[in-house]
Amino acid sequence: MITRRQTLKGGLALGAVASGVFRSAAGAANSNASGLNLWYRQPADVWTEALPIGNGRLGAMVFGGVARERLQLNEDTLYAGGPYDPSNPDALVALPQVRALIAEGKYEDAQALAQEKMMARPIRMPSYQTVGDLILSFGASAYTEDYRRELNLDTACASVRFARDGVTLTRESFASAMDQVIVTRLTSDRPGALDFRASFETPMPGAVAIDDGHLVLNGHNVAQQGIDGKLRFQARVAVIPQGGTLQLRDGEFIVADADSALVLVAIATSFRRFDDVSGNPEATTLAQIKAATAKDFDALRAAHVADHQKLFRRVWFELPETPASEDPTNIRIRNSQTSDDPRLATLYFQYARYLLLGCSRPGTQPANLQGLWNDKLLAPWGSKYTININTEMNYWPAEPANLAECVQPLVAMVKDLAVTGAVTARTNYGARGWVAHHNTDLWRATGPIDGAFWGMWPTGGAWLCKHLWDHYDYGRDRAYLVDVYPLMKGAAQFFLDTLVADPSGKYLVTSPSISPENRHPHGSSICAGPSMDNQILRDLFANCIHAAEILGKDADFRKACAVTRAKLPPDRIGKAGQLQEWMEDWDMEAPEPDHRHVSHLYALFPSEQISVRRTPELAAAVRKSLELRGDLSTGWAIAWRINLWARLRDAEHTHSVVKLLLDPSRTYPNMFDAHPPFQIDGNFGGANGMMEMLLQCVDGEIELLPALPRAWPDGAIRGLRARGGFEVDIVWRKGALVSAELRGAPGGLAQVRYGAKLKAVRVARGRSVVLESADFA
Ligand code: FUC
């Protein structure tokens, strides 16, 4: 074991460079083999072939067309509808009746009554919407050669390059978080050979106008679900050619005979907060475009790349290079089931980190079901926030993959939900605190939606609170805990007020609730005390107690949490040896044995209530449940299974499920996850599963290489974060640990496990410790 100054970031390099196998991050970033490029030999035909760029708030899908380039544009607050309150006073009247029906085992009647009386108004939420497209048109051409389209994850730039009529044309696009614009630069290698037109196309209501030398699209959102559209938006384009001529007329810019041109897009809506739509998008876009046009392309690009790399380069993941990794990305995905291409996994992992940076930055909206990339007016599931798995999964990798800043929008959303959810708690349940059901949206609606079968689930907000705690646990920032503790407390108060005695009188349970979206054998999903609720509430109460202890407050509340927690039903093993999904042993009679949600397995992952070492019988029951469910499912459901199998320490099985996720039926050519259709949670959940194979924080330990598969014999991962405020690098070779380096900003004692050996390691503030395989001999 070697201790040294933290400034010496050589732990990984020692193992890797000495072996001569791995290249440096900077050097490798310029080649395909770096694992940091998605690339193609043809333009995107369809949206799931186009390449996403994003700055957390603005997004574009870049198609790379030859005669016609399409940048499909998004702004993350452009949702349908406007502020609304979905709470329903009838619910409170019906609540005891619904509970009584559940206690009598009349589940279908309970569901029917909940459906009639307890649901949100309106019963569906408005959708996230597209801004429309910026179209760049180039004249027809006889012949194109040397076409290459790519997305460089290390620079966060999408580019296209081809030769046409003897001229090489290049376009490069990025979404700048520094300058809040989408930038495209077009160049031609022959002076004066660049001609194009730029115009808007949109399915949104709006009109194109000229303002201040810019082309502007003034639009508004639409009414949906009976909620009036209350948002205005504006997209503003500036075109700055070098050489040649520029005209702006009839809704388009016309560039002729230029050497190069810069195209800048700013977009804003009038959204300010879930209850305030008084923003001024016109002033915002004008200020942003003016500020950006005062800079040249090189300055804009340099600021963007530096900002991106500061975050993106914190983690470096390397697996062996094989001939397959030289192929275009769509071919690699097509061949993923038969090829030897471990670097497809590293690309998938780093792409998820790239995507999270692209759709969730401080001050933006959280990552929705599609991150922020959506070309529709009515997106699948509204492309909003499904908080019975999908939103949480989006944030699974944020802490360990060293992108903790990306969690800020989620924290901000929970702050909003604590306000709107307090109205729902009071009105629908007569309870203190706050509640959110299985979905929310830009307007932070918290009522049960879609139908009682799916929506009558009060534990969504409580699950989100796990992320509030995890952010503390990874970073150990007390001031942050002071800030979020009242949110956790409010979530817990709701359950202190609403849990009811089960028929045996022994336990306290949620009622009405569901085990997300799964029908039990009694004709509905409605029930009391599904296992997942008990597990989520065990975490919520424990985290509240822990936080209150750290902050030295609320002794009575702490006690109430402890007393109530002790009365939650324990996890049970059913007649097939499975972990019971419900309080009753219904699993084997449930009509959908391969149901995609594995809600009751929350206790193993993302929670650590069940672990292979501490609770081996329950872990074996989880394994049985997973076997009964099967691995083939929707994209996000496969991703969840990867994490679970990794927690079970079954490396080969875990890897087989990783392969399932990389199959073309679950990964589009642009590497977006396919539910299908596109849903970004699988990208994030899958990436997290890969980390779980290499590093786990369970039972207060940091475990190295807990589920390393044979297909990843040699490798290195640098910069992962572990609970307790540590950063970890790991290098392995021939399937065995070579070395690991721990750094700790706060410093502290870490229990580090490799295989059967556990080692206590003290990391002083600002220093690092290198462990070698001999330390675990
Ligand atoms: C949940 C899932 C669906 C889908 C939707 C957005 O309802 O059951 O599969 O992911 O969220």
Side-chain angles (χ1 to χ4, degrees):
M1 189 162 103
I2 310 162
T3 302
R4 61 174 143 211
R5 287 196 184 286
Q6 194 164 313
T7 45
L8 219 178
K9 291 220 168 186
L12 169 90
L14 277 182
V17 172
S19 74
V21 173
F22 305 112
R23 301 175 198 168
S24 75
N30 296 322
S31 78
N32 294 332
S34 71
L36 293 174
N37 287 327
L38 281 73
W39 73 280
Y40 306 85
R41 290 205 172 101
Q42 57 288 112
D45 265 343
V46 294
W47 194 82
T48 45
E49 291 170 1
L51 294 171
I53 54 174
N55 71 358
R57 184 180 67 87
L58 302 176
M61 294 293 285
V62 185
F63 282 65
V66 169
R68 185 177 188 269
E69 172 63 291
R70 175 180 174 206
L71 275 89
Q72 184 268 313
L73 303 169
N74 287 107
E75 202 276 357
D76 71 353
T77 63
L78 187 53
Y79 279 68
Y84 68 101
D85 170 17
S87 59
N88 179 357
D90 292 349
L92 186 56
V93 181
L95 181 62
Q97 300 159 26
V98 171
R99 284 176 173 161
L101 289 169
I102 291 170
E104 289 164 35
K106 296 180 177 161
Y107 302 103
E108 282 177 283
D109 295 344
Q111 183 169 306
L113 187 60
Q115 177 73 32
E116 191 192 331
K117 299 282 188 195
M118 296 190 74
M119 303 310 288
R121 297 168 173 170
I123 202 166
R124 288 189 198 287
M125 288 174 175
S127 175
Y128 180 53
Q129 308 201 293
T130 179
V131 167
D133 299 342
L134 178 70
I135 302 293
L136 307 176
S137 324
F138 309 85
S141 163
Y143 186 59
T144 303
E145 55 188 11
D146 297 333
Y147 183 95
R148 183 183 167 103
R149 176 167 68 97
E150 83 176 53
L151 178 65
N152 183 323
L153 305 182
D154 189 49
T155 58
C157 291
S159 60
V160 50
R161 181 191 185 91
F162 53 88
R164 194 170 101 135
D165 304 328
V167 180
T168 297
L169 295 164
T170 313
R171 298 195 291 266
E172 191 174 31
S173 300
F174 56 88
S176 168
M178 300 305 284
D179 288 287
Q180 289 299 318
V181 284
I182 292 168
V183 179
T184 299
R185 203 233 336 225
L186 304 91
T187 49
S188 137
D189 73 342
R190 186 195 297 160
L194 180 66
D195 304 293
F196 69 96
R197 291 162 182 254
S199 60
F200 281 117
E201 283 181 8
T202 183
M204 298 292 284
V208 174
I210 294 172
D211 180 60
D212 223 333
H214 308 136
L215 196 61
V216 294
L217 168 65
N218 292 309
H220 56 87
N221 71 345
V222 302
Q224 265 180 18
Q225 320 302 350
I227 306 167
D228 288 344
K230 285 282 165 58
L231 286 177
R232 294 196 327 281
F233 72 88
Q234 184 179 75
R236 181 179 290 264
V237 176
V239 175
I240 305 147
Q242 277 196 334
T245 61
L246 175 73
Q247 294 177 61
L248 175 55
R249 61 176 160 84
D250 301 334
E252 60 178 0
F253 276 109
I254 305 168
V255 175
D257 308 325
D259 309 331
S260 69
L262 186 59
V263 178
L264 302 173
V265 186
I267 314 169
T269 78
S270 54
F271 179 85
R272 290 165 67 93
R273 213 178 90 123
F274 63 87
D275 56 356
D276 181 353
V277 290
S278 67
N280 184 342
E282 300 79 10
T284 304
T285 63
L286 184 62
Q288 287 168 339
I289 284 279
K290 281 201 162 155
T293 47
K295 302 183 180 178
D296 65 12
F297 174 76
D298 290 342
L300 290 166
R301 190 182 188 282
H304 161 71
V305 171
D307 167 64
H308 173 74
Q309 290 182 345
K310 193 176 74 208
L311 300 159
F312 184 77
R313 286 191 166 181
R314 286 175 182 162
V315 175
W316 177 246
F317 181 17
E318 188 136 359
L319 290 175
E321 192 176 339
T322 57
S325 54
E326 294 293 326
D327 285 333
T329 307
N330 52 329
I331 307 295
R332 294 173 71 181
I333 295 166
R334 199 184 67 197
N335 295 342
S336 63
Q337 301 311 295
T338 48
S339 63
D340 174 23
D341 189 3
R343 284 194 175 201
L344 190 57
T346 62
L347 183 65
Y348 195 92
F349 170 78
Q350 291 288 27
Y351 187 47
R353 296 183 66 245
Y354 166 88
L355 291 173
L356 194 59
L357 282 168
C359 69
S360 185
R361 295 267 197 130
T364 73
Q365 291 301 309
N368 67 33
L369 286 171
Q370 298 185 184
L372 54 52
W373 297 277
N374 163 46
D375 63 340
K376 300 194 164 50
L377 297 188
L378 196 55
W381 293 283
S383 189
K384 48 189 163 43
Y385 302 98
T386 305
I387 56 176
N388 67 11
I389 174 62
N390 317 85
T391 303
E392 289 87 351
M393 183 177 281
N394 284 355
Y395 286 92
W396 285 352
E399 307 288 348
N402 217 333
L403 295 173
E405 296 87 341
C406 296
V407 179
Q408 189 274 347
L410 187 73
V411 175
M413 179 164 87
V414 176
K415 285 187 178 168
D416 293 344
L417 293 175
V419 177
T420 56
V423 179
T424 305
R426 204 165 49 239
T427 312
N428 293 33
Y429 294 90
R432 294 174 301 163
W434 64 277
V435 63
H437 292 78
H438 93 305
N439 270 228
T440 190
D441 58 4
L442 181 74
W443 313 109
R444 306 303 190 238
T446 50
I449 64 152
D450 287 352
F453 181 91
W454 300 274
M456 202 64 253
W457 186 66
T459 333
W463 190 353
L464 290 175
C465 286
K466 180 177 190 307
H467 289 256
L468 301 183
W469 172 258
D470 286 347
H471 190 64
Y472 170 77
D473 202 28
Y474 276 88
R476 302 290 165 103
D477 172 355
R478 195 173 191 277
Y480 159 81
L481 191 62
V482 170
D483 187 39
V484 299
Y485 169 71
L487 309 172
M488 295 163 59
K489 182 179 175 185
Q493 273 171 330
F494 173 80
F495 291 98
L496 293 178
D497 285 5
T498 56
L499 293 180
V500 295
D502 79 322
S504 79
K506 267 173 74 181
Y507 300 115
L508 288 173
V509 293
T510 50
S511 179
S513 191
I514 65 171
S515 186
E517 309 191 28
N518 202 6
R519 190 181 298 276
H520 57 62
H522 300 280
S524 91
S525 64
I526 296 280
C527 64
S531 301
M532 182 189 225
D533 283 7
N534 308 327
Q535 298 165 2
I536 288 177
L537 294 183
R538 262 195 289 280
D539 276 348
L540 177 66
F541 288 131
N543 293 339
C544 280
I545 294 168
H546 204 158
E549 276 166 5
I550 292 167
L551 302 178
K553 59 203 288 184
D554 289 341
D556 291 346
F557 168 69
R558 244 186 278 166
K559 199 162 164 213
C561 287
V563 168
T564 306
R565 187 176 190 272
K567 290 192 176 160
L568 294 168
D571 285 321
R572 294 167 189 193
I573 300 173
K575 56 183 173 247
Q578 91 288 6
L579 193 78
Q580 277 182 217
E581 180 157 2
W582 296 276
M583 285 191 72
E584 316 290 334
D585 193 358
W586 286 337
D587 299 48
M588 299 312 289
E589 287 83 49
E592 207 192 321
D594 59 352
H595 186 62
R596 60 199 178 286
H597 290 258
V598 281
S599 305
H600 52 315
L601 310 188
Y602 165 99
L604 179 73
F605 185 91
S607 183
E608 35 174 308
Q609 288 170 35
I610 295 178
S611 85
V612 282
R613 264 182 287 274
R614 193 172 28 77
T615 58
E617 294 83 11
L618 291 171
V622 170
R623 173 183 265 273
K624 185 73 197 171
S625 290
L626 270 177
E627 286 166 359
L628 291 167
R629 275 301 215 262
D631 294 324
L632 190 58
S633 195
T634 61
W636 63 259
I638 291 175
W640 196 348
R641 285 155 171 78
I642 295 170
N643 289 272
L644 288 161
W645 282 109
R647 281 272 165 107
L648 291 174
R649 309 294 193 280
D650 189 331
E652 296 313 313
H653 196 102
T654 309
H655 186 256
S656 74
V657 191
V658 169
K659 262 186 120 147
L660 276 184
L661 189 63
L662 296 173
D663 184 86
S665 67
R666 294 296 177 273
T667 297
Y668 290 110
N670 68 357
M671 267 205 156
F672 271 171
D673 166 63
H675 181 289
F678 165 49
Q679 210 168 278
I680 206 161
D681 39 23
N683 288 100
F684 295 133
N688 198 72
M690 293 170 190
M691 279 187 289
E692 285 285 321
M693 295 161 78
L694 304 174
L695 180 77
Q696 288 183 23
C697 298
V698 175
D699 296 337
E701 300 175 358
I702 295 173
E703 181 166 353
L704 309 172
L705 307 178
L708 184 67
R710 281 193 296 272
W712 298 357
D714 303 325
I717 192 155
R718 174 166 68 78
L720 294 187
R721 285 169 84 237
R723 289 182 189 275
F726 298 100
E727 254 189 40
V728 184
D729 302 344
I730 311 171
V731 180
W732 66 95
R733 174 153 279 273
K734 296 198 174 119
L737 179 74
V738 173
S739 65
E741 177 172 331
L742 252 77
R743 295 177 292 276
L749 187 66
Q751 300 289 339
V752 184
R753 176 182 291 279
Y754 176 58
K757 287 284 165 68
L758 189 64
K759 194 169 175 64
V761 180
R762 182 159 293 284
V763 185
R765 177 183 290 271
R767 298 185 83 85
S768 74
V769 172
V770 178
L771 297 161
E772 282 162 358
S773 53
D775 289 309
F776 299 97

